Amino acid sequence: MSFNNSLNRPGKPIANRFSVKTKFNITMLLTALLTLFSINAVAETSNVGHQIGLSEAIQVTLDNHPEMARYRYQKQKFDALTKQAGVSQKPQLDVTIEDAFGSGDYSGFDAAQTTIGISWILDGDLVDSRIKASREASSQLSFEREIKALDLSSDTAKTFVEHIALQEQIKLARLNLQQTQEAYESIVSLNKRGKGSTIDTIQMKANVARSELMIEDLEHELKATQRRFMNNLGEEAKLMTPKGNLFSIPAIDNLNESMAKLKEHPRLLAFANKSRVLESQIELARIEAEPRWEFSTGLRRYERTSDVGIVAGFSVPLGSSGSNAGKIQSLRAERSIYEVESEVLRRELYTQLYVLLQEIEHSKHVINVNQQQIIPLLKEAKEEVNKAYQIGRTSYLQWFNIHQDYLVAHLELINAYKMLHLKNIELQRLTGTTLETIEN
């Protein structure tokens, strides 16, 4: 979409300040959005460097952001804990000497009995349960990592969109400045021939200054946005410029399709996984409370007769196996809390999804009305007021207001496209879909 054909007419005064100033929080995230931000679209910017598309920007974010590195170390931590959980209790070597170094017949070592034995505890089921509980706990990490990847990708996507929207605003502001300067020069020329107005000349000169100030303001915003972009992608983003087509309509799932995808959102899946983690912890607590049988066996030597005998035995702790009853009850209560919280989250996400889809439809409607009705009508009004102003049949104020409205309509169109893409980014973050592949 170009403004060049609709905002020309050199030699005529033109509006010079924007009454609508957009503060973007736009970027992009998901591969589906790539169809919106086409690599073929050209966006002018004051920055130079490698032009980067959305897909590459997201991948660089996930590769370089320190938040993602943290999960690699956490995985190493859980792997080590799982390995440790598989270590069972070591067998125990027992050496016993009896009836030696006493008195009378037992004053020496001749009547001694020496027993060498090994004892061990049957804890195979306990070790297996510990390993299972550790693995279940580590599985939660993958959901947390996926949620963080969604959030980071969404943030990068929003900054990306903000950047290209500011580029479009700067293009419009520069065109406005150029035409305001031409209009000022035309009025000065008319004034020299005695056909112009000194007041109009002064007003137009002030408008030129305002237009220059607006460009400077937008360029400062662009620098701030580039800094946020660099914060996600790393230092190499200094040489990268987001490139895409703001004026495109994304393909958006309907309510039923979005609802189906929402069921697979990692936040909901994480709650379900937490219930499984707690179930394994409950089972571990139950097994830990069970009595552990201990067996022992060995050889006994009788020094007096030089005979050898086998000895064996076992021991079982007495009492009930309810020592972990309080812990088990607590874990079950915690599991119920997660189930309730999961339902609360599900309802909140469904409501957010419905609202987002309504807002997206509204943005589409605003775009359509602006493109099909408001801008064409204001363009026609601008052309008519230009003719009237040339022959002195209208005032400068009326001319200024119509040109101002025409510029504002284009700014509102930029803002409507921006909001459409922002809402679509949030929709995809909410449904957890079309993320770039994350390498482990």
Side-chain angles (χ1 to χ4, degrees), residues 98-100 105-114 301-304:
E98 301 177 62
D99 301 333
D105 292 339
Y106 302 101
S107 61
F109 195 75
D110 292 341
Q113 300 180 43
T114 304
R301 175 181 171 80
Y302 299 89
E303 296 295 332
R304 180 170 293 175

Side-chain angles (χ1 to χ4, degrees), residues 106-380:
Y106 302 101
S107 61
F109 195 75
D110 292 341
Q113 300 180 43
T114 304
T115 304
I116 300 177
I118 295 177
S119 61
W120 66 95
I121 297 176
L122 296 181
D123 60 350
D125 56 345
L126 178 60
V127 171
D128 291 342
S129 184
R130 284 175 180 167
I131 293 173
K132 181 180 178 182
S134 181
R135 286 175 177 168
E136 290 287 357
S138 66
S139 68
Q140 192 68 17
L141 183 63
S142 64
F143 293 101
E144 295 175 3
R145 185 171 180 266
E146 191 173 350
I147 292 168
K148 177 55 69 174
L150 274 171
D151 292 341
L152 287 175
S153 299
S154 175
D155 189 55
T156 294
K158 289 176 181 178
T159 306
F160 190 102
V161 175
E162 177 181 354
H163 202 290
I164 63 172
L166 280 169
Q167 290 171 5
E168 293 296 337
Q169 280 191 294
I170 291 173
K171 286 169 60 178
L172 184 61
R174 286 174 178 165
L175 181 60
N176 177 52
L177 174 61
Q178 175 189 342
Q179 296 176 356
T180 303
Q181 288 172 331
E182 292 171 354
Y184 170 69
E185 292 168 2
S186 177
I187 290 177
V188 169
S189 177
L190 289 172
N191 199 36
K192 288 180 180 179
R193 298 197 300 268
K195 296 181 180 181
S197 165
T198 303
I199 295 176
D200 289 353
T201 303
I202 295 171
Q203 286 181 307
M204 187 55 66
K205 188 174 182 180
N207 290 340
V208 171
R210 289 195 185 103
S211 297
E212 291 172 343
L213 187 61
M214 178 55 69
I215 292 175
E216 183 182 3
D217 183 52
L218 289 171
E219 288 178 343
H220 279 301
E221 284 192 54
L222 190 63
K223 288 179 181 178
T225 302
Q226 180 69 23
R227 180 63 199 182
R228 293 199 300 274
F229 190 64
M230 187 174 69
N231 181 61
N232 276 5
L233 275 69
E235 287 296 319
E236 61 188 279
K238 285 180 179 179
L239 303 177
M240 295 178 181
T241 299
K243 179 181 179 181
N245 179 18
L246 181 69
F247 304 104
S248 56
I249 302 294
I252 298 172
D253 293 333
N254 60 33
L255 180 61
N256 291 334
E257 292 170 335
S258 297
M259 289 290 190
K261 290 179 178 178
L262 186 60
K263 295 177 181 178
E264 301 301 315
H265 192 286
R267 293 188 189 278
L268 289 175
L269 295 179
F271 271 112
N273 190 67
K274 283 180 180 178
S275 294
R276 290 193 293 270
V277 171
L278 287 171
E279 188 63 40
S280 66
Q281 291 178 352
I282 290 171
E283 179 65 12
L284 175 59
R286 184 189 65 78
I287 292 176
E288 285 178 336
E290 292 180 352
R292 307 255 75 78
W293 286 55
E294 181 177 357
F295 289 86
S296 62
T297 186
L299 295 174
R300 176 171 294 172
R301 175 181 171 80
Y302 299 89
E303 296 295 332
R304 180 170 293 175
T305 61
S306 298
D307 292 328
V308 176
I310 296 176
V311 294
F314 68 90
S315 62
V316 182
L318 298 177
S320 66
S321 60
S323 58
N324 276 348
K327 181 178 180 180
I328 293 173
Q329 186 177 359
S330 173
L331 290 170
R332 286 175 176 167
E334 188 175 356
R335 183 181 59 185
S336 298
I337 291 173
Y338 280 131
E339 291 171 355
V340 172
E341 290 179 346
S342 176
E343 177 62 18
V344 171
L345 177 63
R346 186 189 67 82
R347 293 188 183 187
E348 288 178 353
L349 292 178
Y350 274 46
T351 301
Q352 291 176 26
L353 178 62
Y354 180 82
V355 172
L356 271 174
L357 288 171
Q358 295 301 311
E359 291 175 345
I360 286 172
E361 288 303 313
H362 177 67
S363 293
K364 287 182 178 180
H365 178 69
V366 171
I367 289 170
N368 184 64
V369 171
N370 268 282
Q371 287 182 324
Q372 303 300 323
Q373 299 180 43
I374 296 175
I375 290 179
L377 288 172
L378 287 175
K379 180 181 179 182
E380 183 179 354

Side-chain angles (χ1 to χ4, degrees), residues 30-39 53-56 436:
L30 322 150
T31 301
L33 286 179
L34 276 173
T35 59
L36 329 190
F37 299 97
S38 154
I39 270 303
L54 172 61
S55 178
E56 186 181 355
E436 297 291 324

